[in-house]
């Protein structure tokens, strides 16, 4: 019997992007801005969100299943568009799968290092990301810099409920950010995919000399560089965006457009094994 030939990955194969739910759409939006001709497939694990308060084993199990699904869709590269999943699973997925896999932490850490003048960086994220110390580890690999961290577990529900303009959102931002301001940081890393939606309110509560680093923007450039390096940039003159979720596509459509900055069409619910 003739052996089934594996289809080669070509330039116009899609980029796979995944997150625990909606948050990674901020990453997808930035990738789409920087690489407008790339076909993109997004997977939001809405059946299991949030990842930020779960243990590493559980997040690793979901992440492996999602990466396998994306590989079956013939993606040419995978972006882990979730800080918690990056912190818990990047090396595990890189070891298990052959295609390039990138996460949001290293690119954000690199830009923070280049930005900080006084060598004091603040990082905010979910409990999982902060407890993993992943940002500290990445930053310390490259520079002698003091890193101060703060978990902000209430930020994700505030963003998802669309409460970013309420007085209590302002009070919670102040509570979480104050300890970092006391450390005189000059750079603040938004180490969670939901936090770009709180940028305005965070800016209002920090001094003007503090630069905010958005890991969604940092990763887009990294993805572009890898595709150039591997000669895998798309040669389309338009792009196709597809969305998959593990639960409730209607809610995803409704809330997701706030994160993506445009309407979500072409969405399917699927069950992973
Ligand atoms: N996407 C997650 C992150 O960036 C935040 C939401 C969650 O906890 O699942 O860490």
């Amino acid at each position: 019997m003739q052996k089934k030939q594996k289809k080669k990955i070509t330039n116009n194969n899609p980029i796979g992007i995944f997150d625990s739910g909606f948050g990674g759409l901020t990453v997808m939006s930035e990738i789409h801005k920087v690489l407008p001709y790339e076909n993109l497939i997004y997977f939001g694990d809405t059946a299991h969100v949030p990842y930020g308060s779960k243990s590493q084993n559980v997040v690793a199990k979901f992440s492996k299943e999602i990466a396998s699904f994306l590989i079956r869709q013939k993606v040419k590269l995978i972006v882990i568009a979730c800080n918690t999943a990056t912190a818990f699973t990047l090396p595990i997925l890189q070891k298990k799968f052959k295609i390039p896999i990138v996460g949001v932490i290293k690119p954000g850490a690199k830009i923070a290092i280049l930005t900080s003048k006084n060598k004091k960086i603040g990082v905010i994220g979910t409990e999982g990301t902060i407890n993993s110390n992943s940002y500290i580890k990445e930053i310390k690999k490259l520079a002698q810099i003091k890193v101060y961290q703060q978990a902000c577990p209430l930020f994700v529900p505030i963003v998802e409920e669309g409460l970013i303009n309420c007085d209590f959102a302002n009070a919670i931002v102040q509570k979480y950010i104050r300890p970092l301001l006391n450390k005189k940081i000059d750079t603040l890393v938004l180490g969670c995919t939901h936090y770009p939606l709180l940028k305005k309110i965070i800016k209002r509560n920090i001094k003007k000399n503090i630069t905010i680093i958005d890991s969604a923007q940092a990763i887009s450039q990294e993805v572009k560089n890898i595709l150039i390096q591997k000669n895998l940039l798309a040669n389309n003159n338009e792009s196709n965006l597809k969305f998959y979720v593990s639960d409730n596509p209607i809610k995803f459509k409704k809330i997701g457009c706030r994160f993506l900055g445009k309407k979500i069409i072409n969405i399917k619910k699927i069950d992973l094994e």
Side-chain angles (χ1 to χ4, degrees):
M1 212 170 53
Q2 229 187 348
K3 242 190 173 177
K4 213 173 151 192
Q5 270 222 291
K6 260 196 178 174
K7 256 201 178 164
K8 226 181 128 224
I9 297 278
T10 64
N11 295 59
N12 292 335
N13 282 41
I15 296 172
I17 302 169
F18 82 86
D19 175 52
S20 55
F22 311 100
L25 292 169
T26 59
V27 177
M28 184 179 199
S29 162
E30 290 301 326
I31 291 177
H32 190 50
K33 271 185 215 157
V34 173
L35 295 161
Y37 301 121
E38 294 293 334
N39 294 320
L40 306 177
I41 294 187
Y42 183 89
F43 188 94
D45 194 7
T46 47
H48 301 118
V49 68
Y51 282 2
S53 50
K54 292 195 169 63
S55 66
Q56 177 169 17
N57 285 349
V58 170
V59 174
K61 178 181 173 290
F62 299 148
S63 301
K64 277 186 224 160
E65 286 170 6
I66 298 167
S68 299
F69 167 76
L70 290 171
I71 286 168
R72 289 200 295 279
Q73 310 310 304
K74 308 272 184 289
V75 297
K76 59 184 173 185
L77 175 146
I78 291 180
V79 178
I80 310 179
C82 172
N83 284 262
T84 312
T86 302
F88 283 163
T89 70
L90 180 63
I92 300 174
L93 298 188
Q94 284 174 330
K95 207 169 151 201
K96 187 170 166 67
F97 301 104
K98 284 203 186 79
I99 64 165
I101 301 184
V102 289
V104 271
I105 292 182
K106 198 171 177 182
K110 270 196 205 159
I111 301 224
I113 293 169
L114 294 175
T115 305
S116 178
K117 293 196 176 67
N118 75 357
K119 310 273 177 251
K120 291 181 182 174
I121 295 176
V123 177
I124 52 176
T126 63
E127 285 169 293
T129 300
I130 297 306
N131 292 339
S132 75
N133 289 323
S134 295
Y135 274 99
I136 298 189
K137 287 178 201 155
E138 280 305 332
I139 291 171
K140 300 270 180 200
K141 263 189 225 164
L142 301 169
Q144 286 285 353
I145 284 186
K146 286 227 159 72
V147 185
Y148 302 97
Q149 305 194 99
Q150 177 69 48
C152 309
L154 292 174
F155 279 2
V156 167
I158 286 176
V159 171
E160 290 202 354
E161 292 303 318
L163 301 172
I164 52 178
N165 293 318
C166 298
D167 287 348
F168 74 83
N170 200 59
I172 290 164
V173 168
Q174 280 179 7
K175 181 177 164 24
Y176 284 145
I177 302 288
R178 192 169 299 134
L180 298 176
L181 298 183
N182 290 341
K183 300 290 182 193
K184 308 259 181 298
I185 57 160
D186 72 350
T187 305
L188 178 65
V189 180
L190 306 184
C192 172
T193 50
H194 282 60
Y195 301 176
L197 278 92
L198 289 167
K199 227 189 231 173
K200 255 196 202 154
I201 188 169
I202 291 174
K203 255 192 190 156
R204 232 187 283 141
N205 284 288
I206 59 177
K207 295 196 191 88
K208 291 219 162 50
N209 70 323
I210 300 179
T211 308
I212 293 181
I213 307 295
D214 180 342
S215 45
Q217 286 168 351
I219 183 86
S220 313
Q221 206 46 55
E222 177 94 357
V223 170
K224 185 173 179 181
N225 293 343
I226 294 174
L227 293 181
I228 292 172
Q229 234 178 52
K230 301 207 171 282
N231 207 4
L232 273 176
L233 272 180
N235 43 31
N236 291 320
N237 46 19
E238 55 183 9
S239 66
N240 183 12
L241 310 190
K242 268 191 198 160
F243 301 85
Y244 293 93
V245 286
S246 47
D247 194 16
N248 202 343
I250 296 164
K251 185 174 177 199
F252 186 85
K253 230 175 167 174
K254 200 169 139 212
I255 298 187
C257 59
R258 270 197 267 127
F259 289 76
L260 186 66
K262 61 196 263 177
K263 259 194 169 168
I264 293 181
I265 39 180
N266 215 350
I267 176 167
K268 246 192 213 154
K269 175 188 174 294
I270 58 142
D271 294 314
L272 295 177
E273 67 270 15

